[in-house]
Amino acid sequence: MFPSEWWKRAEERVYNLNRARESLEELLKRHPNPQSLLDYLNERRFILLLELLDQSECIRKFLINHPEDFQKTIPRLWYVFKDKRAYLKELEELTSQSMSDDDLSKTLAYYRHRELMRIFAKEILGTAKYEDLLQEYSNLPDAMLELAYRRAYQEMVERYGEPLEESGNPATGCIIALGKLGSHELNYYSDIDIMFIHSSDKGHAGRLTINEFFQKVFQKLFKLMTQITPEGKPYEVDLDLRPFGKSGPISMSLRSAELYYESYGRTWERFALLRARYCAGDEELYRAFEREVKEPFVFRKSVDYRILEEIRLIKAQIASEAKKRLLGKNNIKTGEGGIREVEFTVQSLVLLLGGKFPFLRESNTFRAIWKLSQKGVFSNEEAIFLERAYEFLRRLEHKLQLHSCTQTQSFSENDTSRLARHMGMKEQELRANYEKYTKGVSLIFSQIIPSQEEEDLHPIQRALLNGDIEEAKEILINYHFREPIRAFNILWSYISGREGIKLSTQEKQAFIRLLPQLLESMAQTTDPDETLANFDKFFSNPTGRKVILSPAKEDINRTLCKVFSLSSYLSTLISRFPDLVEDVLTLYQDFPDEERLTEEFEKYKAILNLSPENLYRRFKRVWEIRIALVYLMKREDRYKKLFSFFEKLSDLADFLMKRLWENLGLEDTLILALGKYGSRELTIGSDLDLVFVCGSAGEEKTKKAQEFIAFLTKHTSEGYLYDVDFRLRPMGNAGEIAPSLSFYKEYFQFNARTWERLAWTRCRYIAGPEELVEEFETLLKAFLFEKPLGEKERKEIRDMRFALEVNAKKGKSFVDLKFSPGGLIDAEFLIQYYVLLERLREPSMIRACQRLIGKYPILRETREHYTFLRLVETRLRLSKERAGSLLGPQEGKRVASSLGMQEDELKEKVADSMRRLREIFLEVFD
């Protein structure tokens, strides 16, 4: 059928000629008019077709399924270059508005593979510079995204109405290209990294807000671009580089994006935005983004030392990862002298110098190399070498990926023969070029922002890579693990894989590199086994793994290990929401004041597209984690920071209660706090004891109070805000929700019992009209202090305390820190008694005790034991989610460890404190 000379010449270029021959025969069988293809083929086209069938599995399948497309697509190949407009025109001819979503996605997937075949054919024939081929291929997703965006936008307009900003102007959306798509260097078989923005938060589209409208538009676009079809997917789309990552909204307004990068943007995000460019949608909106967000954030006039240090650490991570070889493979991307080192070298120099020299603000690697050369950063020889090295490595990467149509970057010795043939080289020539270019790149890479060289493999790295459990056991014992085999199995599962955790080769390399430092951090904690168990919870979350394995995270990992050792509760919380960790551990080093809370709350409102219920819950969760982390990490007297911890958790609740009071329009209603909330001594997991007071009662006020309670206690996708306890209000849970001032006057005078006088010593005003506060305070002081405390009241207090002991949870080796004899209630009743006796208006138990010590020396010892038990209770609540105040053997071990004590020592001290508190209580009340 074909001349033997053609086959002979093809043999020089085709690696698996028999497979290519079989594929060509299959293609001809499926061709509706095989003679037309035979007539079209000359020697050059024949060999090209065989090379396409040989070099790429996905292109082979495409040509067999579409046997006419080779002869339809290849003509004029020498000079055709398609920009976005040309692609879009062809796509519009292939599609229609009446086409179903499934058919549109199928057409997009078909067109992507057809154009991949065409561009790869240009590469094989050498009809264009490699840089231009990548540019042309990167134009393709732009056109596909534009088509998908127009369809999604139009559908939502027809369904909900045109989106209008507050000013009446049309609201618009934009797709921003990032990563290799952003730099016009897209891989043939790669995800596309993009992010979405829209012009404003304020406005509407029919019954939808602007945020809701564009969320639906971009969700639709995402589905169109990622739908699995008989032709494959149009593209894999990665949105993880957007603000807040996976936990962020799919799209945010221009202003919200500006606020995010101003407040939260980190060095790696500067690298990400360095390659940002307009892709589809409203180009003017992108220009505003570039002007107002990208350039001020990415390019700084002066170089911040901290940025230099972070870049140095990222470089050290890359260098360290490059030196680790797993499974005897060469990694074209992350290996020593690989693609990542070229890109990082160029991007870091552009990022550092682009602020001062706008000429250097270039995201494309090829062009940036020569711009840096023109500025004297690279010599002419270095620029030529880097350009050639980058092109060689990218070509090799594409040959590797297209063969099996997967995003792989690693090749072994067994792949060399095939890769050499596909690269048009001899095997020895391929090896020599690979060694020459990677060594040269590595040398240039090592000279930018010098960093320390990596050491040889650590013994634990070697043991884990070899799966040597006996060697690992000895090493882990030296790291103070009580259960070294269990520890080994956890660590080994990251390498070998287990249910829910399958690390990529790159992730395994990063983990192996970090392992010695992680174990060193765990060994410095009081309980390495517990620390590793909590680490495992965090690492099992994909986002948690990303935090642990990301560049420049050694300090964060050290801090995380300390958190994992001190708080199982907090570990569980950050394991569910690991994207919060970097902010918590790097941006917030001290307890917040009201100004910081106000500023952050306004940013959350502006940036996050959340309902009010979820906004409050997200904000509370984030700040509760931050406050708890500050408490655990702060270097300060343990009791001083404990009291600050109580106050800041109470301040956070105050902040949210006041906001909610304003938002729900309770202006003529007074909100009071009792219990630990009233004394500004909230701890983790505390309920809020709330009471409402109205100038005059009414159905409308009761309804608003009920709305307030429902808002706090409703369970949403973000959880609940606070548990609320109303048992301390008049008549307890059976009482009226929002009684009038006159009701309280009568109740206090005629119905309130002695124990309620104790409870109301902790009354504090959260929100409400000043005049109502003054009136109620007059009533309250009369209730608390006018009636003397006699023997009858002392007996009632004692009897009430004894009655509460039935609430103590009992069990062998269990202690109820709150209700058991000598528990926290003994101390609180005692302090409250003296507060009433001395007519002291101080809701804080700790401060009241301190103020009364001068007159009642017995309170000095009371304060000592009370604050110790509060410390133990707090560590207990942190050690185990929803732990309450019941200290058992298992919890005792964790709490003792967190306090730097032995378990027996803690048990003895708790027993001694409770015994002594009960003695003091009986001394006063007997």
Side-chain angles (χ1 to χ4, degrees):
M1 190 184 300
F2 299 106
S4 59
E5 294 84 5
W6 292 12
W7 287 109
K8 189 172 182 181
R9 290 198 179 91
E11 195 172 2
E12 298 171 7
R13 300 183 62 85
V14 176
Y15 177 71
N16 190 338
L17 193 59
N18 287 335
R19 167 83 162 159
R21 188 196 302 270
E22 290 168 3
S23 299
L24 178 58
E25 289 170 357
E26 178 71 15
L27 187 155
L28 287 167
K29 281 181 190 174
R30 294 192 177 206
H31 202 295
N33 183 7
Q35 190 58 47
S36 66
L37 176 59
L38 295 173
D39 293 342
Y40 173 72
L41 293 176
N42 56 28
E43 182 180 336
R44 182 175 63 83
R45 293 168 184 165
F46 170 75
I47 293 173
L48 172 63
L49 179 55
L50 289 179
E51 287 185 273
L52 289 170
L53 294 168
D54 175 54
Q55 291 193 30
S56 172
E57 179 62 19
C58 47
I59 292 176
R60 187 188 75 83
K61 287 180 179 176
F62 174 82
L63 287 170
I64 289 173
N65 289 330
H66 303 281
E68 295 180 281
D69 275 37
F70 179 80
Q71 66 207 73
K72 289 179 180 178
T73 308
I74 298 306
R76 300 177 294 121
L77 197 67
W78 290 92
Y79 55 87
V80 170
F81 176 92
K82 295 182 184 178
D83 58 13
K84 176 183 173 182
R85 187 180 302 173
Y87 280 130
L88 195 55
K89 183 180 178 185
E90 290 184 3
L91 281 167
E92 286 170 341
E93 290 169 357
L94 287 171
T95 61
S96 67
Q97 284 297 318
S98 60
M99 184 179 276
S100 69
D101 289 348
D102 288 347
D103 285 343
L104 179 68
S105 294
K106 180 181 175 183
T107 303
L108 291 176
Y110 157 78
Y111 187 72
R112 181 254 181 117
H113 285 97
R114 192 190 85 182
E115 291 305 298
L116 172 61
M117 182 267 291
R118 180 183 65 82
I119 290 171
F120 188 46
K122 289 177 70 173
E123 179 186 336
I124 291 171
L125 293 173
T127 65
K129 287 173 60 181
Y130 204 66
E131 177 186 346
D132 294 338
L133 289 175
L134 296 180
Q135 168 96 30
E136 184 176 6
Y137 187 62
S138 299
N139 293 335
L140 175 59
D142 290 9
M144 292 168 64
L145 285 162
E146 184 71 57
L147 188 80
Y149 173 72
R150 291 177 183 177
R151 183 184 182 96
Y153 179 85
Q154 189 57 42
E155 181 181 320
M156 298 310 155
V157 168
E158 289 171 4
R159 189 178 298 177
Y160 301 107
E162 185 180 359
L164 298 174
E165 296 178 4
E166 205 170 42
S167 63
N169 295 326
T172 59
C174 173
I175 298 101
I176 297 173
L178 301 167
K180 282 191 169 69
L181 176 61
S183 59
H184 279 121
E185 297 166 318
L186 188 63
N187 275 335
Y188 289 159
Y189 226 79
S190 173
D191 297 353
I192 53 173
D193 291 292
I194 56 176
M195 61 181 279
F196 306 124
I197 60 170
H198 51 272
S199 56
S200 175
D201 286 314
K202 298 175 181 176
H204 62 90
R207 60 182 175 83
L208 300 183
T209 64
I210 295 289
N211 287 333
E212 291 168 338
F213 177 85
F214 281 103
Q215 181 178 346
K216 290 183 181 295
V217 169
F218 290 126
Q219 284 172 340
K220 172 82 174 186
L221 177 149
F222 182 83
K223 185 178 178 183
L224 289 172
M225 290 295 295
T226 57
Q227 181 80 20
I228 297 173
T229 78
E231 297 286 348
K233 280 186 182 182
Y235 274 101
E236 291 284 355
V237 177
D238 192 336
L239 302 176
D240 287 357
L241 295 181
R242 72 186 189 268
F244 294 112
K246 285 186 173 69
S247 66
I250 193 170
S251 175
M252 61 170 52
S253 71
L254 178 64
R255 176 59 180 155
S256 295
E258 183 181 6
L259 284 170
Y260 171 84
Y261 288 109
E262 275 179 6
S263 305
Y264 305 105
R266 288 156 294 206
T267 300
W268 71 263
E269 289 175 299
R270 290 179 68 185
F271 276 92
L273 280 201
L274 177 64
R275 300 205 277 186
R277 68 166 176 83
Y278 168 71
C279 179
D282 180 7
E283 189 167 3
E284 284 304 310
L285 177 57
Y286 174 76
R287 297 297 162 219
F289 174 85
E290 189 171 58
R291 184 174 60 252
E292 297 170 25
V293 180
K294 176 182 173 177
E295 292 193 357
F297 173 61
V298 176
F299 302 110
R300 313 278 172 85
K301 295 280 185 182
S302 58
V303 178
D304 187 336
Y305 171 77
R306 287 173 300 176
I307 299 297
L308 275 171
E309 189 61 19
E310 286 187 49
I311 290 176
R312 187 190 70 76
L313 287 170
I314 294 171
K315 177 182 177 250
Q317 161 83 30
I318 292 170
S320 176
E321 187 176 341
K323 286 179 168 56
K324 302 292 190 299
R325 286 194 179 188
L326 294 182
L327 309 175
K329 290 192 172 186
N330 297 297
N331 193 300
I332 301 166
K333 181 178 179 180
T334 62
E336 201 167 359
I339 291 167
R340 180 179 286 176
E341 290 189 7
V342 179
E343 292 174 344
F344 178 78
T345 298
V346 173
Q347 289 166 14
S348 58
L349 291 169
V350 169
L351 191 149
L352 289 170
L353 300 174
K356 189 174 181 182
F357 304 107
F359 168 74
L360 292 176
R361 296 176 186 179
E362 174 61 65
S363 63
N364 180 270
T365 306
F366 291 101
R367 293 193 292 271
I369 288 169
W370 285 105
K371 287 188 175 185
L372 288 164
S373 177
Q374 287 178 55
K375 278 292 178 186
V377 179
F378 295 137
S379 67
N380 193 57
E381 292 76 15
E382 284 176 325
I384 290 171
F385 179 84
L386 276 175
E387 181 185 49
R388 289 176 179 170
Y390 190 58
E391 179 173 331
F392 170 82
L393 293 169
R394 290 298 304 277
R395 282 182 185 273
L396 187 60
E397 180 185 38
H398 281 166
K399 300 294 185 186
L400 189 63
Q401 290 184 345
L402 278 176
H403 175 67
S404 56
C405 304
T406 56
Q407 291 187 58
T408 182
Q409 284 95 16
S410 297
F411 70 95
S412 65
E413 186 61 29
N414 294 336
D415 302 315
T416 307
S417 175
R418 171 175 52 79
L419 288 171
R421 181 69 62 89
H422 290 169
M423 292 283 284
M425 299 177 180
K426 301 293 185 186
E427 284 186 55
Q428 192 54 43
E429 184 185 2
L430 177 68
R431 291 191 190 95
N433 278 330
Y434 185 76
E435 185 174 357
K436 175 182 75 172
Y437 286 128
T438 54
K439 280 189 174 178
V441 167
S442 183
L443 181 62
I444 294 171
F445 171 78
S446 67
Q447 291 169 348
I448 62 155
I449 319 172
S451 58
Q452 292 181 330
E453 291 294 319
E454 282 289 306
E455 298 177 357
D456 292 335
L457 281 178
H458 186 282
I460 190 62
Q461 293 173 322
R462 209 165 35 242
L464 206 61
L465 285 172
N466 296 333
D468 190 335
I469 190 168
E470 290 306 316
E471 183 184 359
K473 180 180 174 182
E474 293 304 313
I475 296 166
L476 291 167
I477 287 172
N478 289 332
Y479 277 115
H480 313 303
F481 283 89
R482 297 187 313 277
E483 301 179 63
I485 294 177
R486 177 174 172 272
F488 171 81
N489 287 332
I490 291 173
L491 298 172
W492 171 243
S493 73
Y494 302 149
I495 301 299
S496 60
R498 75 167 193 248
E499 187 70 30
I501 298 185
K502 301 288 183 185
L503 301 190
S504 67
T505 300
Q506 291 82 1
E507 288 174 326
K508 288 178 186 176
Q509 290 172 337
F511 173 72
I512 289 293
R513 187 192 74 80
L514 283 172
L515 186 57
Q517 181 256 320
L518 285 170
L519 289 181
E520 192 64 42
S521 298
M522 291 178 188
Q524 291 170 10
T525 67
T526 52
D527 189 346
D529 295 88
E530 176 71 12
T531 305
L532 179 57
N534 284 326
F535 172 89
D536 186 52
K537 286 190 288 189
F538 188 78
F539 199 71
S540 296
N541 185 308
T543 308
R545 287 200 292 281
K546 187 177 176 184
V547 170
I548 295 288
L549 300 177
S550 292
K553 293 295 183 296
E554 290 195 3
D555 288 342
I556 287 180
N557 288 335
R558 196 172 294 116
T559 305
L560 273 173
C561 283
K562 189 169 182 182
V563 172
F564 295 146
S565 74
L566 294 175
S567 175
S568 183
Y569 166 74
L570 204 55
S571 299
T572 300
L573 209 54
I574 63 175
S575 297
R576 291 176 189 160
F577 312 105
D579 51 310
L580 301 175
V581 166
E582 286 180 283
D583 288 344
V584 169
L585 297 179
T586 57
L587 299 178
Y588 305 97
Q589 301 293 316
D590 209 341
F591 291 119
D593 55 20
E594 187 173 0
E595 185 179 350
R596 167 54 70 89
L597 292 176
T598 303
E599 178 187 334
E600 291 287 313
F601 191 82
E602 291 306 315
K603 285 178 184 174
Y604 271 54
K605 277 176 64 179
I607 292 171
L608 296 177
N609 180 25
L610 293 172
S611 67
E613 289 92 346
N614 284 334
L615 176 68
Y616 274 72
R617 283 154 176 76
R618 174 79 64 90
F619 186 81
K620 184 247 186 178
R621 183 182 74 222
V622 169
W623 277 101
E624 188 174 69
I625 293 172
R626 286 174 179 161
I627 291 167
L629 282 169
V630 170
Y631 164 64
L632 289 175
M633 306 314 304
K634 199 172 177 65
R635 296 181 181 275
E636 195 173 70
D637 173 78
R638 63 166 49 173
Y639 288 110
K640 183 179 178 183
K641 71 175 183 177
L642 178 70
F643 305 153
S644 297
F645 180 49
F646 292 160
E647 288 178 349
K648 291 306 173 181
L649 287 176
S650 304
D651 290 348
L652 175 61
D654 286 0
F655 175 82
L656 295 170
M657 295 306 105
K658 288 173 185 174
R659 287 264 170 169
L660 188 55
W661 177 79
E662 290 174 1
N663 293 344
L664 293 181
L666 274 75
E667 291 86 352
D668 54 353
T669 300
L670 186 60
I671 299 178
L672 310 177
L674 298 173
K676 283 190 173 70
Y677 185 30
S679 59
R680 249 180 114 216
E681 292 162 0
L682 281 182
T683 190
I684 288 289
S686 291
D687 299 343
L688 300 188
D689 290 288
L690 293 179
V691 175
F692 297 98
V693 182
C694 301
S696 57
E699 188 178 334
E700 185 60 31
K701 293 174 184 177
T702 299
K703 186 178 177 184
K704 284 190 175 182
Q706 288 169 334
E707 284 178 27
F708 190 96
I709 297 162
F711 190 99
L712 296 183
T713 55
K714 177 183 177 184
H715 196 279
T716 74
S717 58
E718 294 281 339
Y720 67 94
L721 192 55
Y722 286 102
D723 277 338
V724 180
D725 193 338
F726 289 105
R727 286 175 295 179
L728 295 180
R729 74 172 188 252
M731 311 304 290
N733 286 331
E736 191 178 337
I737 288 289
S740 66
L741 194 66
S742 58
F743 170 86
Y744 279 97
K745 184 175 182 179
E746 184 176 338
Y747 184 83
F748 284 159
Q749 191 171 354
F750 300 110
N751 303 108
R753 290 150 291 179
T754 302
W755 72 264
E756 289 178 280
R757 287 176 72 186
L758 296 184
W760 280 86
T761 60
R762 299 171 96 166
C763 173
R764 189 166 61 86
Y765 302 102
I766 307 302
E770 193 59 40
E771 60 275 13
L772 197 52
V773 170
E774 291 173 3
E775 287 184 67
F776 191 85
E777 181 66 11
T778 302
L779 280 182
L780 181 61
K781 284 181 177 176
F783 168 56
L784 294 176
F785 306 131
E786 284 186 0
K787 186 178 178 182
L789 284 177
E791 186 59 34
K792 173 176 171 288
E793 286 74 23
R794 287 173 69 254
K795 184 177 184 301
E796 286 176 0
I797 292 170
R798 184 186 62 212
D799 292 346
M800 182 64 184
R801 173 61 189 109
F802 291 161
L804 287 174
E805 286 175 17
V806 301
N807 293 328
K809 297 179 177 67
K810 297 180 177 66
K812 190 177 180 182
S813 302
F814 283 89
V815 177
D816 192 322
L817 298 171
K818 183 176 181 180
F819 288 104
S820 288
L824 292 166
I825 292 180
D826 277 35
E828 288 168 357
F829 272 33
L830 191 66
I831 297 165
Q832 288 164 336
Y833 171 71
Y834 283 116
V835 163
L836 291 174
L837 206 60
E838 291 301 311
R839 302 167 61 87
L840 176 64
R841 187 69 178 92
E842 172 55 75
S844 166
M845 295 293 92
I846 294 165
R847 286 201 174 90
C849 195
Q850 185 64 36
R851 290 173 65 178
L852 292 165
I853 282 172
K855 187 169 181 179
Y856 301 99
I858 199 172
L859 290 179
R860 186 179 302 280
E861 192 179 355
T862 301
R863 184 178 189 273
E864 176 190 334
H865 296 304
Y866 177 66
T867 53
F868 173 70
L869 292 180
R870 286 301 311 270
L871 176 66
V872 173
E873 179 196 43
T874 299
R875 290 303 176 94
L876 172 61
R877 285 172 178 256
L878 283 169
S879 75
K880 185 179 178 184
E881 191 174 4
R882 312 294 283 177
S885 302
L886 187 65
L887 184 67
Q890 191 174 357
E891 294 80 13
K893 188 179 294 186
R894 289 198 189 101
V895 173
S897 175
S898 76
L899 292 172
M901 302 171 71
Q902 295 299 316
E903 187 180 359
D904 289 345
E905 182 187 1
L906 174 69
K907 188 176 179 181
E908 184 178 337
K909 188 166 181 181
V910 167
D912 183 62
S913 289
M914 295 179 73
R915 176 185 57 78
R916 189 64 191 118
L917 276 177
R918 175 44 60 102
E919 288 173 357
I920 296 170
F921 181 86
L922 293 176
E923 186 179 330
V924 172
F925 289 100
D926 268 359

